[in-house]
Amino acid sequence: MRKICILELLSTKQVKSFGSIRNDEVFKLVKSIKSSAGKPINFTEKITSTLSSATCRAAFGKVCKDKDTLIKIMREALILAGGFDFADLFPSSKILRALSWNKLKLLSMHRKLYEIVDGIIDEHKANLAKMVRGKGELDQARDSTRRGNGVFGNEDLIDVFLRVKESCELEFPIDNDNIKAVITEMFSAGTESSTGTISWTMAELMKNPRVMAKAQAEVRESLKGHKLIDTQNLKYLKLVIKETLRLHPPIPLIPRACREDCEINGYFIPAKAKIFINTWGMGRDPKYWANPESFEPERFENNPIDLIGNNFEYLPFGAGRRICPGMTFGLTSVELPLAQLLYNLNWKLPEGMSPDKLNMIENTRLNASRKEDLYLVATPYDPSITM
Ligand code: HEM
């Protein structure tokens, strides 16, 4: 399944093909923020809704009539599951009582979620069958350009799964349960990490006006005379995102099982022991980083440390065989909205809040998103006024 995800769903080509959906959703986001110009907005909520919508449209194409319910259940399930993992690590009677209640709630959400996705899969099959010219099989519905239920008449993720399922090329058959499990995992792994990264980046930019000014100047210069932002040219913004991921990796503890007995710093770790790699702690360790607590994107300039797990002091996407398969998708989902938000709007904190009072505490769940939603005030940028 991981191989299908990498080859078919999360490849650079596929990520590019979802570009129009992403552009469309980000355009709506900017428009909606402009309509509340000068007033405080819940930035975290806005960005979550944008990325959830984009993922939903990429995964389910036009067939997503229960989109809002689906997104609501996914989000609630994630919050519950986050607490659940933590309780698993540090059980106490109080936590365990809450755990069994959470488990029941999770099971009921899970059932509801699967019912919705089942309906979506059935509708996809019916639509594909309708596309068949004459009385053929489902694969006749797709010509060389791979038509499907996608927003622009192309394949969406469910279509891709159905095609792979029918082609019988896999070593083992896949069924609807596999499709539902992967779609749910993609949705939760993807949306939460990307929205978290965008919110943390904006919070860091609000606390660091020098960095905000430099990033905005780059985006505004890069878009001069162009209609669309090409994020490839935004070198400084990429450094800003790298620095955000150092201080705020969305998955702060990466789980692994120890393959053989070993000893680290005098501690004996038996084979099969569950261990957690503390990427959050490593990103702030003064042994590896100068001024570790300060936000300095320039530290990554002309620095060979990459995002693909070659440097063990910096592992925001993990490393090795289980490294995040959604890295390209995730980075694109973070870069584009940030570039548009920095280009189109000027930002400040709500009246009476100073940058040093901005709460930078993570929640206690296993995904380290912000504990408090981020509230910001935006005003539209007018390119004819030079600052
Ligand atoms: C800023 C964005 C993201 C970050 C920082 C991130 C980070 C991570 C990390 C640290 C892991 C664990 C890797 C390991 O164990 O070595 C992971 C796993 C995973 N990620 Fe991401 N991720 C992001 C976006 C996405 C997106 C957009 C998707 C899908 C659409 C995705 C899908 C997954 C999946 C399916 C796994 C589990 C892989 C496995 O267990 O084999 N991620 N991610």
Side-chain angles (χ1 to χ4, degrees):
M1 286 308 264
R2 190 185 155 91
K3 209 162 137 194
I4 307 178
C5 292
I6 294 169
L7 291 178
E8 296 282 355
L9 310 180
L10 298 171
S11 66
T12 310
K13 186 170 148 244
Q14 200 70 13
V15 170
K16 268 196 186 149
S17 82
F18 296 137
S20 319
I21 298 176
R22 233 184 333 261
N23 277 327
D24 193 35
E25 290 295 330
V26 173
F27 176 76
K28 282 194 225 157
L29 168 71
V30 170
K31 199 170 156 205
S32 125
I33 297 179
K34 278 185 176 169
S35 73
S36 313
K39 292 185 221 136
I41 52 155
N42 183 335
F43 181 83
T44 311
E45 214 172 88
K46 291 249 177 226
I47 207 74
T48 304
S49 151
T50 297
L51 291 203
S52 309
S53 248
T55 309
C56 221
R57 286 174 73 194
F60 309 130
K62 290 173 267 189
V63 190
C64 202
K65 55 181 187 300
D66 291 320
K67 187 182 89 183
D68 291 341
T69 320
L70 191 88
I71 292 174
K72 191 166 168 269
I73 299 177
M74 292 261 193
R75 285 199 53 83
E76 282 174 5
L78 264 176
I79 292 170
L80 278 180
F84 175 70
D85 283 346
F86 206 65
D88 230 8
L89 282 177
F90 305 107
S92 74
S93 58
K94 202 168 146 206
I95 290 176
L96 284 172
R97 267 198 305 279
L99 188 69
S100 42
W101 168 237
N102 280 357
K103 242 183 178 168
L104 282 178
K105 262 177 103 175
L106 264 175
L107 277 175
S108 129
M109 283 177 180
H110 197 256
R111 261 196 301 276
K112 178 83 195 136
L113 192 81
Y114 271 28
E115 261 170 44
I116 296 177
V117 182
D118 262 333
I120 292 173
I121 295 176
D122 288 346
E123 214 174 322
H124 272 72
K125 284 185 184 162
N127 288 349
L128 287 172
K130 269 189 231 156
M131 285 180 218
V132 176
R133 291 168 222 108
K135 286 188 200 151
E137 294 295 313
L138 285 188
D139 57 358
Q140 285 178 10
R142 302 170 180 111
D143 54 22
S144 55
T145 56
R146 297 232 167 105
R147 288 194 304 123
N149 289 283
V151 177
F152 302 104
N154 52 335
E155 283 185 322
D156 60 22
L157 296 196
I158 298 273
D159 291 328
V160 172
F161 269 125
L162 292 175
R163 169 165 55 78
V164 174
K165 182 181 169 189
E166 287 156 30
S167 71
C168 302
E169 281 163 15
L170 294 175
E171 290 153 28
F172 57 91
I174 57 170
D175 57 20
N176 276 12
D177 279 352
N178 301 130
I179 300 181
K180 282 182 286 188
V182 174
I183 290 282
T184 316
E185 190 175 338
M186 289 289 161
F187 202 98
S188 51
T191 315
E192 199 79 353
S193 307
S194 309
T195 51
T197 304
I198 296 177
S199 290
W200 279 119
T201 307
M202 283 304 281
E204 288 291 359
L205 291 177
M206 297 316 298
K207 280 181 87 72
N208 295 278
R210 175 196 69 83
V211 180
M212 170 67 102
K214 198 167 164 184
Q216 270 184 323
E218 180 192 61
V219 177
R220 289 174 182 175
E221 185 57 37
S222 157
L223 199 69
K224 252 188 203 160
H226 298 92
K227 272 200 174 138
L228 285 176
I229 292 180
D230 180 0
T231 52
Q232 284 316 309
N233 301 327
L234 302 176
K235 303 272 180 288
Y236 191 65
L237 184 65
K238 285 179 195 288
L239 301 184
V240 169
I241 294 168
K242 260 182 134 175
E243 178 69 338
T244 303
L245 289 170
R246 176 183 70 84
L247 286 170
H248 311 285
I251 303 183
L253 297 173
I254 299 181
R256 286 289 187 273
C258 196
R259 240 192 314 199
E260 53 196 54
D261 290 353
C262 60
E263 199 180 302
I264 299 176
N265 289 348
Y267 292 95
F268 173 69
I269 323 269
K272 294 192 183 156
K274 268 192 198 172
I275 56 151
F276 286 90
I277 299 155
N278 184 352
T279 52
W280 188 93
M282 280 153 38
R284 292 167 186 252
D285 192 331
K287 229 171 23 189
Y288 306 110
W289 309 95
N291 302 323
E293 297 294 331
S294 66
F295 190 76
E296 295 169 17
E298 288 78 5
R299 72 173 79 237
F300 286 104
E301 210 162 23
N302 305 320
N303 180 334
I305 291 185
D306 60 28
L307 289 161
I308 55 175
N310 287 323
N311 310 88
F312 287 161
E313 67 273 40
Y314 182 67
L315 298 173
F317 289 95
R321 285 170 59 186
R322 299 214 78 88
I323 192 169
C324 172
M327 192 190 313
T328 314
F329 196 118
L331 286 173
T332 318
S333 309
V334 169
E335 286 166 3
L336 183 80
L338 276 174
Q340 289 288 5
L341 293 172
L342 295 187
Y343 178 82
N344 285 288
L345 299 147
N346 288 320
W347 297 90
K348 57 180 188 178
L349 290 169
E351 193 71 35
M353 189 190 279
S354 64
D356 54 314
K357 292 275 162 2
L358 188 59
N359 192 340
M360 300 296 271
I361 303 285
E362 294 86 4
N363 66 40
T364 49
R365 305 199 307 268
L366 280 189
N367 73 336
S369 52
R370 292 176 53 75
K371 184 170 182 193
E372 285 179 5
D373 284 358
L374 180 65
Y375 282 83
L376 296 176
V377 177
T379 44
Y381 160 64
D382 179 352
S384 63
I385 302 172
T386 43
M387 308 252 274

